[in-house]
Amino acid sequence: MANTDFHLQFQEFEDDQGFIESNQGATTVTIDDPVKSRKQRKATGTALEEETDPLDSNDKTELLSGERKSAPFWTFEFYQTLFDVDSHQVKNRIIGSILPWPGKNFVEVYLRSNPDLYGPFWICATLVFAIAISGNISDFLVNYGQPKLKYVPDFRKVTMAATAIYSYAWLVPLALWGFLTWRNRKITSLVSYSFMQIVCVYGYSLSIYIPAVILWIIPNEGLRWFSIVVALCLSGSVLVMTFWPAIRDDKPRVIIAIIATIVILHVLLAVGCKTCFFSTYEMIPLSEVHNKTLKATSTLSS
Amino acid sequence: MAEVEESSKPLFAGLSDISISEDIPVEGDISVPVSSQNADNDLSTLDEPVKDTILRDLRAVGQKFVHVMYPKKSSALLRDWDLWGPLLLCVTLALMLQGGSADSEEDGRPQFAEVFVIIWFGSVIITLNSKLLGGTISFFQSLCVLGYCILPLTVAMIVCRIVLLGGTGGVSFAVRLVVVTASFGWSTFASTAFLADSQPANRKALVVYPVFLFYFVIGWMILTFSTSQ
């Protein structure tokens, strides 16, 4: 009863800063997650007004979530519910996936019951084109000092990058979700994530790679490895912290296995993209090789 | 009960007085006068010479080109949408990105089918995206707008090919970069001028970003085009 009253009040004062301030002194007995995490955020002093707005709208959608997701999956309305996000929500989710905060679980804080497909899809698309374009630019820069400059953009990179990234963003969450659901039958843990939520987490966690890939244009090996390590640490920690509540009640060996798999797959994606699409030659050795081949061909032709 | 029946009798008693008198005519003309004019129009466009039909379509396409080049917030592009213009532009762009020479070794440049698929598939995905986000624009209207706004990039492609005839040095690259960047900005601005009004206010950025990415990729393909010598 108190819950519904609180939620009803909550709905009316959605955009009112006064209500939020007056609520700080209230000693409500509700132990819902939304209230708790909101109070935690207030305590840590990160209470921006724009952060409370997605919270309010998400609470509203939580109330209606029974009606919202009841459209069958072959209708257009079902997919419209998966795109029910605003610009600032997407921005907050991207920031939340880049900066891991020890208390905040990505799914709890940002996704709630409103996973979206907009973020994962367009972040993957941007990443595909960023890899293809940066790979072409870095090849061009490496070959720039060559006398026989004949630069042709390699368009096959786009299709290869698209296949790799989209399969990572869809197949790994599918496998993880299947595994977690199977474990959930044996060990009833507190938290279980839906498939869309896992896809959403993985999609947003790839967003840190976009600036890293753009940094890879500079043909400096030290800089490339440094940016890979930084990106891996940030997004890997977000992933681990997200899945920790779902698996912490399991046997220790299974926990270690799952976390190791998540991290290793993430590392493989980053390192694989780097080695496949970006040539690792420095500028000087390549020019020496080219000069040698030029001399060889000239001696052969003479 | 009997009293009610008695009181209801005068109510229904008047019904017996209603009758259709025979001097009111029950005939009339119920044909819609407009349909006869439509039938005349259909007959007239069927009878006209082919040159008139083609010229009418070309004039419509040309008028939309003018709307794209000077994007004001007019709804003419949205009202009478057609897909001839986008097809023309897409085929022209894909043909010009071929290079003309048969170099089978360096086959890294995009094939005709790849350019075609990217443009049409990309337009369809952006339209689906804007509809899923709650846009009020119809599917084909959005395809029409996105296709017509490729016009500045096609013009940039023509300019790039002319510049490439003069050489592939740093100066030509700088000129091409400036031209492609300007036309890419123009395309994005023109298409958002038409598309942004149909979106709810808090999702405009979510709709504009895929359009930006789409024209950026097309601009990239134009910029990296090089003829083999």
Side-chain angles (χ1 to χ4, degrees):
Chain A
M1 265 176 28
N3 288 354
T4 53
D5 277 345
F6 177 74
H7 279 304
L8 277 175
Q9 244 184 339
F10 209 44
Q11 271 182 331
E12 285 174 60
F13 291 97
E14 191 176 337
D15 289 322
D16 193 356
Q17 187 73 16
F19 168 67
I20 295 162
E21 283 166 6
S22 68
N23 196 33
Q24 268 190 328
T27 53
T28 54
V29 294
T30 57
I31 33 180
D32 280 344
D33 262 346
V35 179
K36 211 174 174 185
S37 59
R38 205 164 56 92
K39 286 197 170 174
Q40 273 178 5
R41 288 220 303 268
K42 297 252 183 281
T44 54
T46 57
L48 304 169
E49 191 176 16
E50 57 175 339
E51 277 188 29
T52 59
D53 275 341
L55 187 55
D56 296 345
S57 64
N58 279 337
D59 272 332
K60 218 160 74 162
T61 53
E62 251 182 69
L63 283 181
L64 304 169
S65 62
E67 317 160 22
R68 209 165 52 93
K69 297 230 193 261
S70 63
F73 69 91
W74 57 83
T75 57
F76 190 70
E77 282 73 29
F78 174 75
Y79 296 102
Q80 243 177 346
T81 61
L82 289 173
F83 275 75
D84 196 13
V85 280
D86 296 334
S87 314
H88 59 87
Q89 281 178 318
V90 172
K91 188 184 63 154
N92 287 339
R93 289 179 188 188
I94 293 179
I95 294 178
S97 71
I98 292 180
L99 304 171
W101 199 259
K104 294 188 193 178
N105 185 348
F106 184 77
V107 176
E108 257 179 46
V109 170
Y110 291 103
L111 290 188
R112 317 303 297 296
S113 62
N114 190 21
D116 69 305
L117 276 186
Y118 176 90
F121 181 76
W122 286 110
I123 289 176
C124 290
T126 311
L127 193 59
V128 164
F129 288 116
I131 287 185
I133 291 178
S134 306
N136 281 328
I137 294 182
S138 82
D139 279 346
F140 175 74
L141 285 179
V142 166
N143 293 329
Y144 189 57
Q146 309 308 313
K148 278 174 68 77
L149 170 62
K150 203 174 205 186
Y151 171 67
V152 175
D154 196 357
F155 205 70
R156 288 180 297 246
K157 289 192 177 176
V158 174
T159 39
M160 277 162 40
T163 317
I165 288 175
Y166 273 102
S167 48
Y168 176 81
W170 281 91
L171 295 181
V172 173
L174 185 67
L176 197 59
W177 172 75
F179 186 77
L180 284 178
T181 316
W182 173 62
R183 293 307 290 182
N184 254 347
R185 299 225 183 112
K186 297 193 173 181
I187 298 147
T188 52
S189 56
L190 294 171
V191 182
S192 69
Y193 297 132
S194 71
F195 174 60
M196 281 300 157
Q197 283 173 329
I198 301 185
V199 166
C200 208
V201 170
Y202 263 88
Y204 278 105
S205 72
L206 288 177
S207 63
I208 182 71
Y209 285 121
I210 296 175
V213 162
I214 295 178
L215 272 182
W216 290 353
I217 293 178
I218 305 170
N220 185 353
E221 278 303 301
L223 182 64
R224 286 181 182 177
W225 282 108
F226 176 71
S227 62
I228 282 190
V229 165
V230 167
L232 273 176
C233 285
L234 287 176
S235 61
S237 58
V238 167
L239 282 179
V240 167
M241 276 197 298
T242 304
F243 289 108
W244 180 249
I247 57 175
R248 73 180 151 211
D249 294 328
D250 214 336
K251 296 183 226 163
R253 266 187 287 180
V254 176
I255 295 179
I256 293 179
I258 294 182
I259 292 186
T261 316
I262 293 177
V263 172
I264 286 177
L265 283 175
H266 220 55
V267 168
L268 273 181
L269 179 78
V271 174
C273 283
K274 183 185 172 305
T275 44
C276 286
F277 299 114
F278 292 84
S279 57
T280 53
Y281 300 132
E282 295 286 344
M283 290 167 83
I284 302 171
L286 192 60
S287 61
E288 286 178 1
V289 168
H290 248 266
N291 285 337
K292 285 185 195 155
T293 51
L294 278 177
K295 281 187 200 157
T297 49
S298 63
T299 51
L300 279 174
S301 59
S302 63
Chain B
M1 290 274 288
E3 288 166 355
V4 173
E5 281 177 342
E6 280 171 6
S7 63
S8 65
K9 264 190 188 167
L11 280 177
F12 295 127
L15 281 180
S16 59
D17 292 334
I18 295 173
S19 62
I20 299 174
S21 56
E22 288 160 4
D23 49 38
I24 297 176
V26 195
E27 49 188 74
D29 189 8
I30 46 176
S31 65
V32 180
V34 186
S35 63
S36 55
Q37 288 176 11
N38 274 348
D40 284 341
N41 279 344
D42 284 341
L43 287 174
S44 64
T45 59
L46 204 57
D47 277 344
E48 68 181 9
V50 175
K51 185 177 72 126
D52 281 354
T53 315
I54 295 181
L55 277 183
R56 188 174 60 233
D57 281 334
L58 279 181
R59 235 176 272 128
V61 167
Q63 202 178 28
K64 293 203 190 63
F65 280 169
V66 170
H67 276 291
V68 169
M69 293 311 260
Y70 301 106
K72 298 170 292 207
K73 282 197 195 281
S74 71
S75 58
L77 204 70
L78 293 179
R79 252 200 329 263
D80 338 302
W81 58 267
D82 73 280
L83 292 179
W84 284 115
L87 182 68
L88 202 64
L89 289 172
C90 178
V91 168
T92 313
L93 195 60
L95 280 177
M96 283 202 291
L97 276 171
Q98 286 309 295
S101 54
D103 37 16
S104 53
E105 299 158 9
E106 300 121 26
D107 243 355
R109 69 165 55 101
Q111 306 293 316
F112 181 89
E114 281 171 348
V115 176
F116 211 79
V117 160
I118 279 192
I119 291 182
W120 285 101
F121 199 58
S123 303
V124 166
I125 287 196
I126 293 177
T127 308
L128 275 181
N129 177 64
S130 79
K131 284 192 78 68
L132 282 171
L133 281 171
T136 54
I137 200 172
S138 93
F139 183 75
F140 285 108
Q141 278 173 349
S142 172
L143 278 188
C144 169
V145 168
L146 287 169
Y148 269 105
C149 290
I150 296 182
L151 176 68
L153 284 167
T154 312
V155 169
M157 180 78 218
I158 298 175
V159 171
C160 281
R161 285 211 78 156
I162 297 175
V163 168
L164 274 176
L165 288 177
T168 55
V171 174
S172 92
F173 179 75
V175 168
R176 280 185 292 144
L177 181 66
V178 166
V179 166
V180 170
T181 312
S183 63
F184 150 72
W186 200 342
S187 290
T188 313
F189 172 68
S191 60
T192 51
F194 291 115
L195 287 179
D197 285 339
S198 64
Q199 288 298 321
N202 50 355
R203 294 184 183 181
K204 282 208 165 66
L206 297 184
V207 172
V208 168
Y209 173 70
V211 176
F212 169 87
L213 187 66
F214 177 62
Y215 289 128
F216 185 81
V217 169
I218 296 182
W220 170 256
M221 287 198 294
I222 293 176
L223 186 62
T224 57
F225 173 78
S226 64
T227 56
S228 58
Q229 284 140 6

